[in-house]
């Protein structure tokens, strides 16, 4: 890894802090903001999402003019979503937009950076909690400078599992989500939680607060940064069917260790969704 990635990471941390201030300033007024919808009536976006994404992309373009971008709101506006070998910033300006709109206090700015389709650094700033999660490939994961380590728990029956209901309420999808949830609850696990932000759920795995997180229907910008934070904290990542994680497949399972991950994968109905990089 060359020094240029460290300077890019320093820039990402500074931008996440700046973006976090914009989100904090807006959160009190979030309920007054015009709330727009994207793929469904519960897939929300606000002007603050768009403003923060512009702020991040403009600044990166000035400093790293040759780099590429995948940004949640740019893709919603029609940009292509293809992960190439080029240095690529993968940005979710507000991960947890529904939380933001409702002032539920888990809202993150998520910035992943990949080269040759491999995430080199990840920054997740949980801005209402002022928690800056960072990881750089091969150099560990941290929260506000403190090293992170996943839970040591090996028995899934002693675990807390994080998951979400997502933003697809088609009856067939809801049935599959609930039948998986029923099997997971019935293992039985100690509990099931959801922060409302994929990025924060992954940071909770990295911090050892929950043993695992899974979801179908997320996007590459929700999980790129968090995936490195989990692996650098000693965790494992896989597809919900137990195969290899594919960042563009919109399916993720992150866990503290292989045995918890494999047990969980056996309980999940791993239905397919349209890939992020499917030709439109
Ligand atoms: C959210 C994810 C969450 C998922 C929501 C949504 P957004 O991202 O973090 O895990 O359940 O449906 O995709 O839209 O707030 O960036």
């Amino acid at each position: 890894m060359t020094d240029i990635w460290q300077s890019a990471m320093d820039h990402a941390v500074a931008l996440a802090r700046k973006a976090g201030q914009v989100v904090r300033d807006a959160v009190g007024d979030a309920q007054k903001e015009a709330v727009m919808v994207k793929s469904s009536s519960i897939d929300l976006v606000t002007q603050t999402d768009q403003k923060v994404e512009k702020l991040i992309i403009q600044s990166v373009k000035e400093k790293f003019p040759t780099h590429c971008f995948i940004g949640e709101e740019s893709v919603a506006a029609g940009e292509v979503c293809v992960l190439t070998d080029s240095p690529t910033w993968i940005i979710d300006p507000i991960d947890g937009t529904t939380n933001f709109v409702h002032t539920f206090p888990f809202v993150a700015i998520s910035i992943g950076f990949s080269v040759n389709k491999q995430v080199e650094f990840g920054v997740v700033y949980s801005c209402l909690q002022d928690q800056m999660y960072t990881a750089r490939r091969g150099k560990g994961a941290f929260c506000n400078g403190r090293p992170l380590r996943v839970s040591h728990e090996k028995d899934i029956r002693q675990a807390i599992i994080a998951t979400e209901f997502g933003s697809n309420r088609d009856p067939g999808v809801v049935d599959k989500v609930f039948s998986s949830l029923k099997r997971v609850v019935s293992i039985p696990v100690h509990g099931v939680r959801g922060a409302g932000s994929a990025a924060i759920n992954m940071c909770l795995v990295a911090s050892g607060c929950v043993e695992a997180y899974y979801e179908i229907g997320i996007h590459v910008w929700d999980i790129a940064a968090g995936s490195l934070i989990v692996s650098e904290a000693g965790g494992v990542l896989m597809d919900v069917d137990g195969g290899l994680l594919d960042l563009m497949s919109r399916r993720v399972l992150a866990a503290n260790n292989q045995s918890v991950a494999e047990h969980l994968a056996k309980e999940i109905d791993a239905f397919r969704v349209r890939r992020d990089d499917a030709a439109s």
Side-chain angles (χ1 to χ4, degrees):
M1 221 181 310
T2 56
D3 277 339
I4 190 171
W5 306 151
Q6 187 59 49
S7 83
M9 178 162 167
D10 294 343
H11 194 60
V13 170
L15 278 174
R17 254 189 223 297
K18 196 169 169 185
Q21 188 58 53
V22 174
V23 174
R24 275 195 298 269
D25 289 346
V27 83
D29 290 329
Q31 284 163 322
K32 288 188 227 135
E33 272 202 53
V35 178
M36 298 159 276
V37 297
K38 297 190 287 187
S39 63
S40 73
S41 64
I42 53 156
D43 183 9
L44 310 183
V45 59
T46 68
Q47 284 171 348
T48 305
D49 295 70
Q50 294 163 341
K51 180 175 166 185
V52 168
E53 184 158 319
K54 259 189 210 135
L55 176 158
I56 295 172
I57 292 182
Q58 266 168 16
S59 174
V60 175
K61 272 186 177 160
E62 279 164 27
K63 211 166 160 65
F64 304 99
T66 60
H67 290 183
C68 301
F69 299 91
I70 295 176
E72 175 172 17
E73 307 317 335
S74 311
V75 171
E79 299 263 335
V80 290
C81 183
V82 179
L83 189 59
T84 67
D85 287 344
S86 304
T88 302
W89 294 66
I90 305 168
I91 301 158
D92 190 340
I94 300 184
D95 189 48
T97 301
T98 303
N99 289 353
F100 170 72
V101 168
H102 290 267
T103 70
F104 192 75
F106 301 104
V107 175
I109 289 91
S110 176
I111 306 176
F113 178 78
S114 80
V115 182
N116 297 324
K117 301 190 185 74
Q118 176 166 274
V119 181
E120 290 294 341
F121 67 73
V123 173
V124 172
Y125 183 41
S126 180
C127 60
L128 303 183
Q129 303 174 299
D130 192 22
Q131 289 183 329
M132 180 69 77
Y133 295 90
T134 57
R136 194 169 167 214
R137 178 162 298 282
K139 302 215 166 171
F142 301 85
C143 178
N144 291 346
R146 182 178 48 86
L148 294 176
R149 207 64 207 159
V150 292
S151 154
H152 295 304
E153 187 55 62
K154 291 197 173 70
D155 182 356
I156 197 166
R157 285 166 300 192
Q158 311 288 324
I160 289 185
I161 308 299
T163 191
E164 303 286 342
F165 301 114
S167 56
N168 186 337
R169 300 294 154 82
D170 292 349
V173 169
V174 172
D175 278 349
K176 289 183 167 99
V177 168
F178 274 88
S179 72
S180 300
L181 189 58
K182 186 176 177 187
R183 282 197 297 274
V184 172
V185 169
S186 309
I187 287 173
V189 294
H190 270 184
V192 175
R193 303 284 185 270
S197 153
I200 293 179
N201 285 328
M202 294 179 97
C203 290
L204 292 174
V205 175
S207 306
C209 308
V210 305
E211 275 65 31
Y213 157 67
Y214 73 92
E215 188 169 354
I216 300 176
I218 41 72
H219 297 273
V220 61
W221 46 80
D222 296 315
I223 59 166
S227 65
L228 188 65
I229 294 169
V230 169
S231 60
E232 287 295 319
V236 300
L237 293 147
M238 55 175 67
D239 190 294
V240 287
D241 68 1
L244 288 180
L245 176 72
D246 173 349
L247 282 178
M248 305 302 272
S249 72
R250 303 187 54 205
R251 315 197 307 179
V252 68
L253 192 165
N256 61 330
N257 59 48
Q258 196 73 18
S259 73
V260 167
E262 284 171 4
H263 192 143
L264 189 56
K266 282 193 199 121
E267 309 297 341
I268 299 171
D269 182 338
F271 62 91
R272 300 214 166 269
V273 287
R274 188 181 162 81
R275 295 175 57 84
D276 273 331
D277 54 4
S280 48

